[in-house]
Amino acid sequence: GQQLNQSPQSMFIQEGEDVSMNCTSSSIFNTWLWYKQDPGEGPVLLIALYKAGELTSNGRLTAQFGITRKDSFLNISASIPSDVGIYFCAGYTQTYNQGGKLIFGQGTELSVKP
Amino acid sequence: DGGITQSPKYLFRKEGQNVTLSCEQNLNHDAMYWYRQDPGQGLRLIYYSQIVNDFQKGDIAEGYSVSREKKESFPLTVTSAQKNPTAFYLCATQGVLSYNEQFFGPGTRLTVL
């Protein structure tokens, strides 16, 4: 089936540093979503991207929809301790007769040292 | 208070028992989804439903069953046929106007002893 490769798997950074993570696929998606998950909780939507080349910001977060529609990246600037968590990318795919569904990356676990 | 409710938060069952996880939403969203999450892996789709009284298998449907009798509710039954049921289960919804965005409930952690 379709797969998303998300990297890096984990990151250990100092507070104040910038962070970058990305997702790549062999398949084309028409929507890319980025979620954050705190331990023991459900993922929360951070940014949604709908058009190839689109660059969208949400506070200190910036994400881009790759021009080939097969990749996306997420940047976090000036990280703070509350950025700790697991970040997931997800690509939306539409099937002919069964509606749409999301394909998720494996997640990037972010740790921030004060 | 709008949102998605999953209950209970923690669930323990003995091996060989069926167990049903609850998912309720008052967002008036048409589509509902069940995902399974294991450590170090992304979310994997179990079942989804685009409309009442209809649902489709996801990527890992074996050992699970669902029903969609009401728009607000999409319960998931983990049967004894599921070989590795211990996991974190997440329910999500998507509305017609949500532009492919899915919103998640708080999850249920199932432990089979």
Side-chain angles (χ1 to χ4, degrees):
Chain A
Q2 292 171 300
Q3 287 185 326
L4 291 184
N5 296 311
Q6 185 172 350
S7 64
Q9 281 191 316
S10 61
M11 302 181 75
F12 296 85
I13 63 169
Q14 198 77 30
E15 183 177 359
E17 289 182 352
D18 295 345
V19 172
S20 184
M21 60 191 78
N22 70 83
C23 276
T24 60
S25 173
S26 57
S27 304
I28 289 175
F29 293 104
N30 56 22
T31 299
W32 281 94
L33 305 175
W34 284 91
Y35 289 87
K36 184 195 176 198
Q37 185 179 30
D38 291 327
E41 301 295 330
V44 174
L45 183 63
L46 298 173
I47 291 180
L49 302 158
Y50 296 103
K51 198 165 60 173
E54 179 182 356
L55 187 71
T56 297
S57 293
N58 178 6
R60 293 178 295 105
L61 277 60
T62 302
Q64 185 159 29
F65 193 142
I67 199 73
T68 65
R69 295 170 62 194
K70 294 182 179 181
D71 62 334
S72 177
F73 72 76
L74 175 70
N75 286 340
I76 305 173
S77 63
S79 58
I80 59 178
S82 62
D83 290 335
V84 165
I86 302 177
Y87 292 79
F88 290 99
C89 63
Y92 187 84
T93 182
Q94 189 84 19
T95 56
Y96 170 66
N97 59 350
Q98 295 183 347
K101 58 180 182 178
L102 288 178
I103 309 296
F104 283 83
Q106 302 96 320
T108 294
E109 185 168 7
L110 179 63
S111 300
V112 179
K113 188 176 179 182
Chain B
D1 193 25
I4 304 165
T5 304
Q6 289 188 245
S7 60
K9 182 69 176 175
Y10 300 96
L11 193 54
F12 296 88
R13 279 294 183 270
K14 290 183 179 178
E15 195 172 340
Q17 290 182 334
N18 292 354
V19 59
T20 298
L21 281 60
S22 165
C23 179
E24 303 281 331
Q25 56 109 353
N26 60 5
L27 301 171
N28 200 34
H29 285 175
D30 289 304
M32 297 186 73
Y33 303 78
W34 274 106
Y35 293 90
R36 171 185 172 131
Q37 186 175 25
D38 296 287
Q41 298 193 37
L43 281 65
R44 292 184 290 166
L45 183 63
I46 305 172
Y47 267 98
Y48 61 110
S49 168
Q50 303 280 333
I51 197 169
V52 174
N53 292 323
D54 189 42
F55 49 82
Q56 285 80 40
K57 292 182 179 180
D59 300 316
I60 56 165
E62 186 175 347
Y64 300 97
S65 66
V66 293
S67 62
R68 186 85 186 277
E69 297 176 3
K70 300 186 300 180
K71 187 175 185 178
E72 301 80 15
S73 179
F74 190 40
L76 173 75
T77 297
V78 184
T79 75
S80 57
Q82 169 50 233
K83 298 304 176 194
N84 252 338
T86 294
F88 191 48
Y89 290 89
L90 288 158
C91 175
T93 70
Q94 180 179 329
V96 171
L97 301 178
S98 296
Y99 298 106
N100 304 337
E101 297 167 14
Q102 291 185 14
F103 301 93
F104 285 84
T108 292
R109 183 164 299 280
L110 172 65
T111 302
V112 175
L113 307 170

